[in-house]
Amino acid sequence: METTWADRLRAAGLRVTRPRLSVLDVLAEHPHADADAIVTGARELHPSLSPQAVYGVLKALVATGLARRIEPAGAPALFELRVGDNHHHLVCRSCGAVADVDCAVGAVACLTPSDTAGFVVDEAEVVFWGLCRDCRAVAPAEAAQVPEQDNRGGVRA
Amino acid sequence: METTWADRLRAAGLRVTRPRLSVLDVLAEHPHADADAIVTGARELHPSLSPQAVYGVLKALVATGLARRIEPAGAPALFELRVGDNHHHLVCRSCGAVADVDCAVGAVACLTPSDTAGFVVDEAEVVFWGLCRDCRAVAPAEAAQVPEQDNRGGVRA
DNA sequence: CCGTTTTCTTGATTCAGTCAAATCAAGGAC
DNA sequence: GTCCTTGATTTGACTGAATCAAGAAAACGG
């Protein structure tokens, strides 16, 4: 990695602090971590780190575009460092695992709703819901009737 | 409307109760109401209605497929009665207004991510973010730099 | 090394939503 | 029509994510 996290923080007009580097480190290792996981992970590098500090750091990172916040329905917010590359997400209904997926073929069509109802659209967010490989393996029978999580609606395949 | 709400409740195996009819009434009038708005609205028809009752009713409606729950990032959950017609949503970053949008041309492509990473996808959820007509009119200057809500990331148009 | 400014810490608070026990009503049986 | 069983609602306490505020600490330009 040529540009260090410290460089990127400075470039974004943020001071380089230990909590911020710790959080960035955790995010680099766990690309879709929630605030709690980040606190736990970052404490290995900076034991005195408080949850509020993490929230503050994440807010700063998101505000400056270094990180992105994603909020899957029914789960705490997740944070990721992949920004500006137009990717979407696969979310497992069972375990909540998240995987990145590059813009699908035909994605451009997604950006042009048939009727914008007067809205000026600046972003299209796509979330694919399903079961990850592990959860399929663990509970293939329950796959048809996902427990506690049906009827989120939307486009059915 | 030929089939009444009472009929639909019975068809779904649910008892016909005043709280449920009140909630359905409010949802019919406000197609994207949050729990709080539903409580307020339903109390005009049934003053003693408690918030927990509304949560219970909504849970039952969602579980039986009579209603759908949508959870825009950063806002309380909304509920709607349009189910099973594969529509998506336009959400205003400024005021939170939600509008329905029928499946865009090319929507089928949305259901086929280029790489599913081992997931079995059963649903694709699409949310279009932008500014509604009213908010554009009120604050055309702030439109470029949306207050308190930037960097949600995703596909940029 | 010092001072200013940003950032972090500590603690309290909000808000959406859930859980559990007790009461009450819907709708079938009689 | 009345009783009874089951399911729904009420009441109240509780969880968990996230935010706010005030003081302490650290970053970094001079």
Side-chain angles (χ1 to χ4, degrees):
Chain A
M1 196 178 294
E2 296 96 21
T3 57
T4 63
W5 289 125
D7 290 337
R8 297 202 189 185
L9 284 171
R10 267 186 281 264
L14 296 173
R15 290 186 177 172
V16 179
T17 68
R18 190 118 154 279
R20 285 175 179 167
L21 292 174
S22 304
V23 167
L24 287 168
D25 235 22
V26 173
L27 277 177
E29 230 180 304
H30 307 280
H32 301 104
D34 61 26
D36 193 59
I38 295 171
V39 171
T40 304
R43 280 207 175 129
E44 294 177 9
L45 302 164
H46 187 179
S48 74
L49 196 65
S50 66
Q52 288 76 353
V54 170
Y55 279 112
V57 169
L58 290 172
K59 198 171 187 178
L61 294 179
V62 170
T64 55
L66 287 177
R68 181 148 90 93
R69 180 188 190 127
I70 58 182
E71 301 187 32
L78 305 177
F79 297 86
E80 67 181 357
L81 294 176
R82 273 185 71 178
V83 291
D85 65 345
N86 291 1
H87 73 280
H88 300 312
H89 296 102
L90 287 154
V91 183
C92 176
R93 288 189 196 279
S94 179
C95 69
V98 175
D100 288 334
V101 54
D102 292 324
C103 228
V105 183
V108 175
C110 288
L111 290 173
T112 42
S114 45
D115 174 15
T116 57
F119 279 60
V120 175
V121 175
D122 63 71
E123 177 192 337
E125 182 187 359
V126 182
V127 178
F128 299 98
W129 293 92
L131 287 175
C132 70
R133 193 172 317 182
D134 292 350
C135 287
R136 270 193 299 148
V138 170
E142 307 168 42
Q145 192 89 17
V146 179
E148 308 287 315
Q149 279 267 23
D150 20 315
N151 272 97
R152 271 190 198 297
V155 181
R156 306 245 163 229
Chain B
M1 194 176 296
E2 295 97 19
T3 58
T4 64
W5 289 125
D7 291 336
R8 299 202 189 186
L9 284 171
R10 267 185 282 263
L14 296 173
R15 289 185 178 172
V16 179
T17 67
R18 190 117 154 276
R20 286 176 178 167
L21 293 174
S22 303
V23 167
L24 286 168
D25 236 23
V26 173
L27 278 176
E29 229 180 308
H30 308 282
H32 302 104
D34 61 25
D36 193 59
I38 294 171
V39 171
T40 305
R43 280 204 175 133
E44 294 177 8
L45 302 163
H46 187 177
S48 75
L49 197 64
S50 67
Q52 288 77 353
V54 170
Y55 278 113
V57 169
L58 291 171
K59 199 171 186 176
L61 294 180
V62 170
T64 54
L66 286 178
R68 181 148 90 92
R69 180 188 189 126
I70 57 181
E71 301 188 31
L78 305 177
F79 296 86
E80 67 181 357
L81 293 176
R82 273 185 71 179
V83 291
D85 65 345
N86 290 1
H87 72 279
H88 299 313
H89 295 103
L90 287 153
V91 183
C92 177
R93 287 190 197 279
S94 180
C95 70
V98 175
D100 289 333
V101 55
D102 292 325
C103 228
V105 183
V108 176
C110 288
L111 289 173
T112 43
S114 47
D115 173 17
T116 57
F119 279 59
V120 175
V121 175
D122 63 71
E123 176 190 337
E125 183 187 359
V126 183
V127 178
F128 298 98
W129 292 92
L131 286 175
C132 70
R133 194 173 313 178
D134 291 350
C135 288
R136 271 193 297 148
V138 169
E142 306 168 40
Q145 192 89 18
V146 179
E148 307 287 316
Q149 280 267 25
D150 22 312
N151 271 98
R152 269 190 201 295
V155 181
R156 308 244 164 231

